[in-house]
Amino acid sequence: VQLQASGEGLAQAGGSVTISCAVSGGTFSRYAIGWFRQAPGKERVSIAAISRRSSRRDSSTFYVGSVEGRFTISRDDAQSTAYLRMNNLKPEDTAVYYCAADMTEHSGAVLGRIRYDYWGQGTEVTVSS
């Protein structure tokens, strides 16, 4: 399974950016997708995740507090792509953003704590003040 993260790299504070994660080599609908970021000099942290759909429920999402209400994670199973829409950006959102995939059936906040099996290479987002 290969993941390719890409998107707009530069934004001003208060602006918006959308980054995407294209997944190939597997059945996208079977994977939960997580977004992580690593700011300069800091550890990589989970910021958002979306579960896979099931016959019983639609996808559920998870956001860390610092991005909740500003960022929106979504998925398009037909396009095998997940997205992270980032609004009201702040300079502290500057980081390398990574997407990851895992065939977990977990949903909600658990997705922020699991160990993902597959990772993309990261895409850099810089927010200027």
Side-chain angles (χ1 to χ4, degrees), residues 15-17 19 33-39 44-50 61-74 83-98 112 125 127:
S16 298
V17 161
I19 54 179
I33 302 296
W35 281 102
F36 296 73
R37 70 183 180 188
Q38 186 169 18
R44 186 168 61 189
V45 295
S46 170
I47 58 169
I50 187 167
T61 56
F62 155 78
Y63 299 96
V64 70
S66 60
V67 308
E68 191 162 17
R70 300 189 298 124
F71 290 11
T72 302
I73 187 172
S74 61
Y83 303 92
L84 187 67
R85 174 68 174 177
M86 302 184 284
N87 295 326
N88 191 21
L89 284 163
K90 304 176 181 180
E92 51 264 42
D93 294 319
T94 295
V96 177
Y97 285 74
Y98 299 88
V125 176
V127 183

Side-chain angles (χ1 to χ4, degrees):
V1 177
Q2 294 82 44
L3 288 77
Q4 179 74 41
S6 62
E8 308 147 70
L10 299 174
Q12 291 188 332
S16 298
V17 161
T18 297
I19 54 179
S20 62
C21 177
V23 179
S24 61
T27 303
F28 180 78
S29 61
R30 294 181 179 178
Y31 294 94
I33 302 296
W35 281 102
F36 296 73
R37 70 183 180 188
Q38 186 169 18
K42 296 187 177 180
E43 294 185 351
R44 186 168 61 189
V45 295
S46 170
I47 58 169
I50 187 167
S51 69
R52 63 184 190 182
R53 292 183 178 90
S54 74
S55 59
R56 294 176 293 172
R57 59 171 171 78
D58 205 346
S59 299
S60 66
T61 56
F62 155 78
Y63 299 96
V64 70
S66 60
V67 308
E68 191 162 17
R70 300 189 298 124
F71 290 11
T72 302
I73 187 172
S74 61
R75 63 186 298 151
D76 184 337
D77 287 357
Q79 297 296 323
S80 297
T81 302
Y83 303 92
L84 187 67
R85 174 68 174 177
M86 302 184 284
N87 295 326
N88 191 21
L89 284 163
K90 304 176 181 180
E92 51 264 42
D93 294 319
T94 295
V96 177
Y97 285 74
Y98 299 88
C99 58
D102 192 87
M103 291 185 69
T104 178
E105 295 183 351
H106 288 305
S107 61
V110 175
L111 295 179
R113 300 192 295 269
I114 65 170
R115 178 173 293 182
Y116 286 77
D117 285 337
Y118 306 101
W119 290 82
Q121 86 289 358
T123 185
E124 190 167 358
V125 176
T126 301
V127 183
S128 60
S129 58

